[in-house]
Amino acid sequence: MPIATEAQFTEVYRAHYEDVLRFVRRRAHPMNVDDVVGETFLAAWRRRRELPEDARPWLFGTARNLMLNANRGMRRQSALVVHIGRTATADAHDPTDGVDSRLELVEAWQALAAADQEVLALHVWEDLTAKEAARVLGCTRASYSMRLTRAKRRLAGQLGHAGAESAALSLSTR
């Protein structure tokens, strides 16, 4: 019997919310639990007319798929951090020169939100124009430009004290 009304969906939500929450809590990082549960029920709402009579297994399967997708995203993010460390240029005379600044950059990058990392990556690694990057993100060019500016500021803020010291040293030598 398809779930056609909001009242029927509310009944399914109330009947299964705690079970889905426990299922996700046992498997996901605590910071992701609410997002996964919310996205699970959003998917259920969107497909409410296709839900089986016993929606609980369907909800668990959907939550599991969402967690798997999130884990794949985290692995890609980690791979990108490793890529940053490998591609950073080093001084040709001493391979250890610049290691500290590369490590600080990697640490600052990891502290950024995934959205900031994506905006910066489109700009730096993919070398996209603002118009092209906006198309990738599905937003306007102006919105992308603002996101990029904010992401750059947050990265600079993460570099913080060490970045400010090196900037002061380079200014004092001019």
Side-chain angles (χ1 to χ4, degrees), residues 16-70:
H16 301 296
Y17 176 80
E18 290 297 325
D19 289 338
V20 172
L21 182 63
R22 279 191 298 275
F23 177 84
V24 174
R25 277 186 180 155
R26 286 190 288 267
R27 290 165 178 79
H29 188 280
M31 288 179 49
N32 298 333
V33 170
D34 291 340
D35 289 339
V36 171
V37 172
E39 287 178 34
T40 299
F41 281 101
L42 177 62
W45 171 255
R46 289 179 177 156
R47 301 187 68 188
R48 64 189 175 276
R49 289 180 178 83
E50 302 168 27
L51 284 178
E53 185 76 32
D54 182 10
R56 188 169 177 255
W58 186 93
L59 292 166
F60 283 2
T62 301
R64 180 182 175 277
N65 288 337
L66 288 165
M67 288 182 283
L68 289 172
N69 286 340

Side-chain angles (χ1 to χ4, degrees), residues 119 141-151 153-154:
V119 168
R141 189 203 57 75
S143 178
Y144 167 77
S145 295
M146 181 58 71
R147 290 180 191 179
L148 178 60
T149 299
R150 289 177 180 163
R153 283 187 195 143
R154 284 190 276 270

Side-chain angles (χ1 to χ4, degrees), residues 60-129:
F60 283 2
T62 301
R64 180 182 175 277
N65 288 337
L66 288 165
M67 288 182 283
L68 289 172
N69 286 340
N71 287 338
R72 278 192 294 273
M74 289 176 67
R75 283 194 306 271
R76 282 191 301 269
Q77 194 173 24
S78 294
L80 188 57
V81 169
V82 169
H83 178 73
I84 291 170
R86 288 183 183 158
T87 59
T89 58
D91 187 338
H93 301 292
D94 184 359
T96 62
D97 284 350
V99 169
D100 290 338
S101 62
R102 285 195 308 267
L103 290 174
E104 289 169 9
L105 178 59
V106 169
E107 187 176 318
W109 178 267
Q110 288 174 332
L112 290 176
D116 286 341
Q117 291 177 355
E118 182 176 31
V119 168
L120 290 167
L122 289 173
H123 175 69
V124 176
W125 290 302
E126 305 307 330
D127 197 28
L128 296 177
T129 65

